[in-house]
């Protein structure tokens, strides 16, 4: 069986982002970019399923500008077999929304015919947490979101997914093909070794324009402005527990 | 007049094109569908926050509340919903075994069906794991883009939402077709506390569920940690431990303190990954978002991803050995000290919970 993994290039998780002075967005020029951490987990899971013999091929896909090819190379260096790059240059005022990405990924899925699509549960830049669910809805496939464990039964064409939900861990069973989104605790992604990075350079990245997929990528959201969150007023360092209790009782009045 | 038109629309044919056209001609009238969750016969507090968000959209919003599930608890929750907020004009009850568990597939079909009949201008759910799982799928079926994690409503179609782990606030305008769908951050909308008069009880209607088909997913089980303490997302006081707690054993000290304060216990990713506590206690960008009156962080460094989940707390206390820990930049009160000594002293000096 075949697994399709969607990856996104985002500002590195450790970067403290700054809002642009013109308030049109956050500064992304000359900022370190990386693969979205949840997407790394998705790639890792697909590779583990392949290594366990449950899948024959892992295809990585992304939607984004030319530089997103770096992210696909990372996925290939981790071990993905080949990649699909849907080229799209972003207009900051009319961002590419999860619905458009989901429609593009549906078109890719219809071409590639995977048995399983794995995505991250959310991108750490827009924090939307939508694409996987939308893709599942558009394909009319079942969904297993926020997965912390995936067990595939290729014979019965079923996946058992343990999900991280508000009250604890929920277990559900899905008919394949299905869409699964990853939570942090699904696995620990591997590092790409140098030989694998070299090998990845010869792997194929297929480039596609959204128009070739016949997808309308209208955006129904207009960014009006982006602001810094309100600053908290400076706090004080206290010297003792007594002082702390006194402040909480008499100054903050929360005890 | 508006009410009559909306009523006519509700009774109107199930034909999608027709109701959409009509819905558009009614654009200036706001009517909202709140997808509510319930537990033990009551509407959950996070869903009551969604009602507060509906009120923020329009003061004269006509709100329908959708509840699903099966059994007596559902119908008790429906009675609760009917008198939960002055704007609630109708409670829709979807009674089916298929909806007893929060599976996205039947729920998304339900939401699509109810929206197509009701032609609501807005659909709101709370950003719980249920809401985040369901709403985008339903939105895709309706071919609209939802807005995630709304923290403020500026105009009926203009919203504020945090991006980049809360390091920027993005104001967006929804320019698409109806319905405008959103998940709201419950800590940003306080549920109405004023008691409603006995006479205002909204009618309860059963939803026709003939559209439900055989599912491609099934629910197996839920492993939950039973706890007597208040729910993390709604607690008035939260005490959180990080890697500095060093062991699951030591987390018990934190639990004792929580006991005394009537607080919920939270944790950082490091503490969860190290196995000190279960993952549903994680506070942060990818865990729970909390905004209690008092947030006490013990042995928490204050990574960007953690701050995302607690920066809107009213008063933040940090106890950490490292004076340079980023948590001190957001803390109102800081103690640079050994957290075990501080915990011991707090346990001695704080009186038993009143």
């Amino acid at each position: 069986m075949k697994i399709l993994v969607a990856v996104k290039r985002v500002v590195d998780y450790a970067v403290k982002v700054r809002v642009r002075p013109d308030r049109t967005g956050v500064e992304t020029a000359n900022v370190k970019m990386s693969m979205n951490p949840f997407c790394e987990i998705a790639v890792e899971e697909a590779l583990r399923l392949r290594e366990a013999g449950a899948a024959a091929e892992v295809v990585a896909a992304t939607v984004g500008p030319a530089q997103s090819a770096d992210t696909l190379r990372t996925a290939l260096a981790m071990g993905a077999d080949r990649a699909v790059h849907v080229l799209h240059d972003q207009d900051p005022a009319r961002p590419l929304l999860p619905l458009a990405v989901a429609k593009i990924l549906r078109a890719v899925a219809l071409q590639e015919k995977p048995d399983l699509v794995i995505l991250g549960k959310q991108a750490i830049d827009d924090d939307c947490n939508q694409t996987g669910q939308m893709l599942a809805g558009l394909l009319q496939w079942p969904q297993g979101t926020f997965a912390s464990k995936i067990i595939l039964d290729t014979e019965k064409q079923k996946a058992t997914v343990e999900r991280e939900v508000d009250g604890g861990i929920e277990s559900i069973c899905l008919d394949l093909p299905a869409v699964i989104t990853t939570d942090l605790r699904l696995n620990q992604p591997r590092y790409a070794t140098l030989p694998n990075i070299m090998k990845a350079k010869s792997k194929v990245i297929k480039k596609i324009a959204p128009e070739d997929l016949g997808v309308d990528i209208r955006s129904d959201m207009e960014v009006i402005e982006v602001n810094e969150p309100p600053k908290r007023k400076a706090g004080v360092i206290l010297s003792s527990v007594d002082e702390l209790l006194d402040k909480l009782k008499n100054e903050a009045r929360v005890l | 007049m508006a009410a009559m038109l909306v009523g006519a629309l509700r009774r109107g044919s199930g034909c999608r094109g027709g109701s959409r056209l009509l819905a558009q001609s009614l654009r200036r009238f706001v009517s909202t569908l709140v997808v509510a969750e319930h537990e033990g016969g009551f509407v959950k507090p996070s869903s009551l926050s969604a009602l507060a968000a509906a009120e923020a959209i329009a003061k004269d919003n006509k709100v329908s509340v959708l509840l699903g599930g099966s059994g007596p608890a559902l119908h008790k929750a429906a009675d609760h919903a009917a008198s939960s907020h002055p704007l609630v004009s109708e409670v829709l009850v979807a009674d089916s075994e298929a909806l007893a568990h929060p599976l996205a597939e039947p729920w998304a079909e339900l939401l699509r069906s109810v929206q197509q009949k009701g032609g609501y201008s807005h659909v709101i759910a709370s950003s719980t794991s249920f809401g985040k799982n369901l709403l985008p799928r339903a939105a895709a079926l309706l071919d609209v883009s939802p807005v995630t994690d709304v923290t403020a409503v500026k105009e009926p179609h203009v919203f504020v939402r945090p991006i980049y782990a809360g390091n920027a606030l993005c104001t967006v305008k929804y320019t698409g077709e109806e319905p405008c769908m959103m998940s709201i951050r419950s800590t940003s909308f306080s549920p109405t506390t004023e008691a409603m008069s006995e006479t205002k009880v909204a009618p309860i209607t059963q939803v026709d569920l003939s559209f439900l088909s055989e599912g491609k997913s099934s629910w197996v089980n839920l492993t939950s940690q039973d706890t007597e303490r208040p729910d993390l997302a709604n607690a008035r006081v939260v005490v959180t431990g990080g890697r500095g707690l060093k062991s699951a054993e030591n987390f018990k000290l934190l639990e004792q303190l929580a006991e005394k304060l009537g607080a919920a216990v939270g944790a950082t990713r490091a503490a969860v990954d190290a196995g000190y506590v279960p993952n549903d206690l994680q506070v942060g960008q990818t865990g729970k978002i909390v905004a209690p009156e008092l947030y006490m962080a013990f042995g928490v460094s204050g990574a960007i991803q953690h701050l995302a989940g607690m920066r809107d707390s009213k008063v933040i206390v940090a106890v950490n050995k490292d004076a340079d820990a980023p948590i001190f930049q957001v803390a109102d009160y800081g103690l640079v000290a050994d957290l075990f000594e501080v915990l011991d002293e707090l346990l001695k000096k704080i009186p038993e919970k009143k």
Side-chain angles (χ1 to χ4, degrees):
Chain A
M1 79 176 232
K2 191 196 278 186
I3 301 177
L4 180 68
V5 184
V7 295
K8 184 178 183 183
R9 179 177 182 262
V10 297
V11 171
D12 189 85
Y13 74 93
V15 171
K16 170 99 176 71
V17 295
R18 286 182 201 291
V19 172
R20 272 191 227 128
D22 63 3
R23 305 202 293 182
T24 55
V26 307
E27 201 56 75
T28 51
N30 303 319
V31 168
K32 186 184 176 202
M33 306 291 278
S34 308
M35 188 191 294
N36 180 42
F38 290 99
C39 302
E40 279 185 30
I41 294 168
V43 174
E44 175 67 32
E45 193 64 18
L47 297 175
R48 288 187 188 190
L49 290 168
R50 191 189 62 193
E51 284 156 7
E57 192 182 27
V58 174
V59 182
T62 199
V63 185
Q67 301 94 305
S68 295
D70 298 346
T71 308
L72 289 176
R73 286 284 169 216
T74 307
L76 295 171
M78 285 172 77
D81 297 293
R82 56 190 176 83
V84 177
H85 185 178
V86 181
L87 281 159
H88 177 269
D89 278 310
Q90 183 112 328
D91 168 4
R94 306 287 293 190
L96 187 67
L97 297 177
L99 183 60
V101 176
K103 286 178 177 173
I104 291 169
L105 290 175
R106 173 181 55 177
V108 172
L110 292 176
Q111 281 186 356
E112 294 283 343
K113 301 194 171 43
D115 301 276
L116 183 63
V117 184
I118 311 182
L119 303 88
K121 79 163 176 181
Q122 77 190 58
I124 59 163
D125 52 359
D126 62 23
D127 282 333
C128 275
N129 196 331
Q130 295 177 0
T131 310
Q133 294 89 312
M134 295 185 132
L135 176 61
L138 293 172
L139 287 165
Q140 304 207 326
W141 291 1
Q143 68 190 49
T145 50
F146 326 143
S148 58
K149 191 172 181 184
I150 302 171
I151 302 164
L152 283 189
D153 184 337
T154 43
E155 212 140 283
K156 288 193 189 137
Q157 285 285 299
K158 279 186 189 296
T160 305
V161 180
E162 284 186 7
R163 310 178 53 228
E164 297 204 352
V165 296
D166 289 341
I169 303 277
E170 181 187 75
S171 184
I172 58 172
C173 188
L174 312 173
D175 292 348
L176 296 181
V179 175
I180 291 176
T181 72
T182 63
D183 215 315
L184 277 174
R185 271 163 286 275
L186 183 57
N187 59 47
Q188 194 67 48
R190 69 194 66 186
Y191 289 105
T193 59
L194 188 60
N196 284 343
I197 294 171
M198 300 309 288
K199 235 190 273 173
K201 290 188 202 279
S202 58
K203 291 182 181 173
V204 180
I205 297 181
K206 184 169 139 195
K207 288 196 162 57
I208 309 179
E211 304 83 66
D212 297 341
L213 294 168
V215 177
D216 147 44
I217 48 171
R218 74 187 149 87
S219 176
D220 288 340
M221 217 80 77
E222 206 177 299
V223 173
I224 294 179
E225 59 177 21
V226 174
N227 290 301
E228 297 264 358
K231 289 241 176 336
R232 292 188 73 97
K233 70 169 174 43
V236 287
I237 297 289
L238 310 175
S239 56
S240 71
V241 171
D242 289 321
E243 199 182 346
L244 173 64
L245 287 174
D246 175 64
K247 294 273 190 195
L248 290 179
K249 268 183 203 133
N250 303 319
E251 194 175 275
R253 296 175 192 281
V254 285
L255 274 192
Chain B
M1 176 65 181
M4 270 173 61
L5 276 169
V6 173
L9 178 66
R10 291 245 168 85
R11 286 188 298 276
S13 69
C15 161
R16 178 170 189 190
S19 69
R20 256 213 171 178
L21 259 180
L22 203 49
Q24 265 158 23
S25 69
L26 286 170
R27 191 146 203 158
R28 58 212 165 91
F29 305 118
V30 175
S31 64
T32 297
L33 179 69
V34 168
V35 188
E37 291 169 78
H38 60 97
E39 190 175 39
F42 291 96
V43 176
K44 284 193 183 176
S46 56
S47 300
L48 296 176
S49 292
L51 287 170
E55 189 177 6
I57 288 169
K59 286 273 170 252
D60 58 350
N61 201 340
K62 251 175 94 74
V63 179
S64 300
V65 179
L66 174 63
L67 282 168
S70 67
L74 169 67
H75 297 281
K76 187 163 174 256
D79 291 338
H80 178 214
S83 58
S84 59
H85 194 284
L87 293 184
V88 173
S89 66
E90 182 184 26
V91 178
L92 302 168
V93 173
D95 189 343
S96 165
E97 273 300 321
L99 302 164
H101 300 297
L103 288 170
E105 295 77 21
W107 270 95
E109 288 297 338
L110 168 67
L111 192 45
R112 163 162 65 180
S113 166
V114 169
Q115 169 61 29
Q116 283 171 355
K117 283 209 183 78
Y120 303 97
S121 67
H122 292 72
V123 175
I124 308 179
S126 187
S127 289
T128 56
S129 59
F130 169 79
K132 286 190 280 196
N133 189 38
L134 159 69
L135 204 70
R137 185 180 179 105
L141 299 181
L142 291 161
D143 196 25
V144 298
S145 282
V147 192
T148 298
D149 243 358
V150 168
T151 55
V153 176
K154 289 197 156 173
E155 286 170 34
H157 287 101
V158 179
F159 312 103
V160 180
R161 60 177 301 263
I163 54 173
Y164 289 91
N167 286 298
L169 296 177
C170 186
T171 306
V172 292
K173 181 174 190 182
Y174 179 72
T175 57
E177 302 255 317
E178 288 187 340
C180 172
M181 297 180 82
M182 72 186 92
S183 65
I184 59 110
R185 185 171 281 193
S186 55
T187 54
S188 302
F189 298 92
S190 330
T192 317
T193 43
E194 60 182 283
M196 279 199 9
S197 64
E198 290 288 321
T199 48
K200 171 83 170 71
V201 176
I204 297 174
T205 318
Q206 301 285 326
V207 180
D208 170 29
L209 296 173
S210 50
F211 61 87
L212 278 179
S213 54
E214 192 63 33
K216 291 178 183 169
S217 62
S218 56
W219 189 84
V220 181
N221 64 34
L222 172 71
T223 321
S224 63
Q225 306 278 332
D226 273 327
T227 164
E228 309 256 300
R229 271 187 289 279
D231 177 39
L232 181 54
N234 300 301
R236 203 185 67 81
V237 182
V238 173
V239 294
T240 290
R243 203 197 307 267
L245 262 291
K246 292 201 178 84
S247 72
E249 207 46 44
N250 290 337
F251 244 89
K252 298 232 158 64
L253 293 171
L254 217 55
E255 286 169 18
Q256 285 174 28
L257 179 66
E259 197 79 23
K260 283 197 156 187
L261 294 169
V265 173
T268 64
R269 181 187 173 187
V272 175
D273 282 352
Y276 303 164
V277 285
N279 60 284
D280 55 329
L281 297 191
Q282 185 177 331
V283 171
Q285 183 182 20
T286 68
K288 297 231 168 44
I289 311 286
V290 301
E293 284 180 38
L294 173 60
Y295 189 87
M296 302 180 84
F298 293 87
V300 171
S301 63
I304 297 171
Q305 291 78 12
H306 182 72
L307 300 184
M310 44 67 82
R311 64 189 308 150
D312 294 328
S313 304
K314 276 213 187 71
V315 177
I316 298 174
V317 174
V319 181
N320 203 309
K321 265 197 294 212
D322 177 9
D324 296 325
I327 189 82
F328 286 121
Q329 288 161 24
V330 299
D332 300 281
Y333 303 113
L335 273 177
V336 181
D338 182 279
L339 69 93
F340 295 109
E341 287 167 19
V342 174
L343 267 177
D344 269 350
E345 217 177 322
L346 282 172
L347 283 172
K348 276 188 207 117
K349 289 179 176 162
I350 293 176
E352 287 304 320
K353 197 175 83 179
K354 324 112 222 187

